[in-house]
Amino acid sequence: MTTPLTPPPRKDPLKRTVSPTQPPVIRSRAALGLTAMAAEGRFALQTCAECGAVQYPPRDACSACLSTDLPWWDIAPTGQLLAETTVQTSVKQYFRERTPWRVGSVQLDAGPVVICHLHGDVAANARVRLRLLLDRAGQGVILALPQERTDHMADDPELRLMSSDPHLRRVLITDARHPFAPDLAAALQTAGATLIFAGEPENWLPNPNRSALEAAGAEILPLDVTDTKSVERMAGEIGGKTDILINTARFMRPGGVLARGGTGFARDEMEVNYLGLMRLAQAFGPAMCGRTADGVNSAVAWVNILSVHARTNTPGFGCFNASQAAAFSLSQSLRAEFRGAGLRVMNVFTGPLEEDWYQPLPPPKVTGPALARSVVSGLRDGLEDVWCGDVAKDFEERFCKNPKVLEIELGQEMGE
Amino acid sequence: MTDTLAQFAVEIASGAIRVVDLTHTLDPDFPVIILPPEFGQCARFRMEEISAYDHRGPGWKWHNIHLSEHTGTHFDAPSHWISGREVPNGDVDEISVENFVGPVVVIDCSAGAAKDDDFELTPEIILAWEGQHGRVPTDAWVLMRTDWSKRSGAEYLNMQSDGPHSPGPTPEAIRLLVEDRDIRGFGTETVGTDAGQGAHHTPPYPAHYILHGAGKFGLQCLSGLDQLPPTGAVLIATPLKIKGGTGSPLRVLALVPGGET
């Protein structure tokens, strides 16, 4: 059984905050495929299209037949632990600070033997379940876990470092007016977040979410992502204890370019959805990046809730989608900028939500609890890209097949 | 005439004439009028640093600001309303500047507004006021004092599920002021010249509709009207010279005889 984490004592103000260090970063281009699969939580390895041999480690030509046609296929995440050792010291600063560190070799049921990190609850010679996870350098690595769930298994030190688990962490939901903010707060409370802050713009207007947020234990604070001073003020107050930031700020109106007549709403969309993200990142990013090695409640993740149409537009919400595309593009820059500190950027892509602005659209639509589940599970799994709901998953599949065909299809759907 | 202006300067310097500021500070948190969300919305006041004695500009600090013509304490020109769209010289840049300085009277509705959020200025109240202070002068500004400017936050718009609740004039009161008294303009301490529930009058938003249709002006989000006498003060309200502008944020000042409060 894993020793359960306990709430950390209050920070000793006389002690220097530990600077983040990183596990080794350099990978071959082929091995970046592991990272890409881990970013979405898939357990996939190169599988030879000619002879079917599963490859490990990633390579440019098949180890059995030398074919260079090596697509990434999902394979059974199961295997048999062959050997293990516990590293007591290392020349790598990151591991040196975190020893003892358990590693092992596992014979996959799909064929190859892999070198992997080893969860503390895996017994000698046991059958194991494997997961492809992102380490704190943002690179894909394999972790072997016990086949069955064990008590407090998420608190395992190696697993904890590869996840963004909200348990015992402090979370900021940036817009308390988002229709799903109360569901997010409730799910985070259930997941063991110790503090939940909810930013509320324009407290001179009623906020129907207030009582539900307070019932979920959220503390409501003034925060308006369109106001630089407001964002700076709030970062000054809670930037040093924000471990997970979930950006729910969103301005949306229906309509493509011609339906709009003017750029007023588009400007508001860019102010909130794009520049708001930038203001938050400039104000909260540096403090969060400085605290990614700060113990049990270290800063760990930055979450953006984006429309799946950030990737390919539909004219029904054409102008809003353009602002989502801008935010998505910015999130890629942020991800790269945060990577050195080990702060993970997770984008949760959704189809239409079950709320007012999408009211005329037919189901399926994403509900508040479904979005909250995706956010919490994505954090626990340490993901970078999450596809929430049937529409988003279908979109992703079609996008991977042929983005141009998808663009044409989506344009026709909305044109009817 | 030279003597009059010299005397005026002396009296301002001596305090015999007081200069009173009737303007709210432009603040990102100051409420603006809220319309149904599918309509276009009034921009909030926003300010971004261009530089602040730093790498973006080492020796100077300055900001870009972003706001609506109708953000904060502001002036409404006739072209703001559909009824005033054909009024000659109805944009802020076309209005003759004599209109920006002139006499002002204040009708105190603060006691009523304290008891009733939907308090309305009626012809009866105006006639009773005239009984005490004399007829509302032709071409004067008429300000409705409610002490609403002392409210802040959610209390100011006072938004409920059936819309905002704040005091304002009835259509009959505005008709009396515009058609019989021929005033220059009408000003309030609330977010608009109309009551919060003004959409339910005939015509909807009667102050906007009747004032601007007749080429009159509006002032809203005024503050400090409790510092003005009922009669005898002079208002200075000079909108920015915005080409084709339907209104403008502005600094509103009153010149008040000393000794009177």
Side-chain angles (χ1 to χ4, degrees), chain B residues 1 21 37 44 46 107 112 135 145 148 171 196 200 234 239-240:
Chain B
M1 197 60 195
D21 191 354
R44 285 63 166 157
R46 290 292 183 268
I107 301 176
R135 190 177 163 92
R145 175 186 160 193
W148 210 258
H200 301 293
V234 168
L240 298 175

Side-chain angles (χ1 to χ4, degrees), chain A residues 1-47:
Chain A
M1 179 188 116
T2 308
T3 309
L5 288 177
T6 51
R10 286 185 174 174
K11 210 171 149 101
D12 180 348
L14 297 180
K15 277 192 180 157
R16 177 182 171 279
T17 301
V18 177
S19 298
T21 50
Q22 283 202 301
V25 177
I26 295 173
R27 294 286 192 282
S28 68
R29 175 178 282 178
L32 291 181
L34 277 181
T35 299
M37 297 300 124
E40 295 186 22
R42 290 170 59 183
F43 190 76
L45 289 175
Q46 287 169 305
T47 306

Side-chain angles (χ1 to χ4, degrees), chain B residues 56-76:
Chain B
R56 298 169 297 175
W60 48 92
K61 177 174 175 175
W62 50 340
H63 299 104
N64 284 330
I65 59 173
H66 182 242
L67 74 174
S68 164
E69 293 169 333
H70 301 269
T71 303
T73 300
H74 68 277
F75 181 100
D76 280 357

Side-chain angles (χ1 to χ4, degrees), chain A residues 166 182-192 216 369 372-373 376 380:
Chain A
D183 292 310
L184 277 170
L188 289 161
Q189 190 187 37
T190 306
R373 272 195 303 277
V376 170
R380 283 180 175 148

Side-chain angles (χ1 to χ4, degrees), chain A residues 306-314 321-322 324-325 350-352 391 395 410:
Chain A
L306 296 172
S307 164
V308 77
H309 295 297
R311 312 293 293 273
T312 304
N313 210 330
T314 60
N321 293 337
Q324 295 292 286
T350 77
V391 172
F395 176 99
L410 291 173

Side-chain angles (χ1 to χ4, degrees), chain A residues 131-191:
Chain A
R131 285 174 60 190
L132 195 45
L133 295 167
L134 295 172
D135 68 11
R136 289 267 58 96
Q139 297 291 8
V141 293
I142 299 174
L143 176 74
L145 299 107
Q147 216 166 15
E148 305 296 332
R149 290 197 63 81
T150 57
D151 291 342
H152 313 292
M153 72 183 301
D155 291 352
D156 175 77
E158 291 185 27
L159 178 53
R160 177 94 176 166
L161 283 166
M162 293 171 198
S163 81
S164 312
D165 201 324
H167 179 49
L168 295 179
R169 285 198 164 100
R170 300 155 297 183
V171 187
L172 168 63
I173 298 169
T174 60
D175 190 348
R177 291 183 186 277
H178 189 286
F180 295 170
D183 292 310
L184 277 170
L188 289 161
Q189 190 187 37
T190 306

Side-chain angles (χ1 to χ4, degrees), chain A residues 202 224 226 228 253 265 279, chain B residues 28-29 37 39 44 46 48:
Chain A
E202 305 192 329
D224 189 326
T226 67
T228 306
R253 293 291 182 272
F265 283 149
R279 289 189 190 96
Chain B
D29 294 327
F39 289 144
R44 285 63 166 157
R46 290 292 183 268
E48 300 282 345

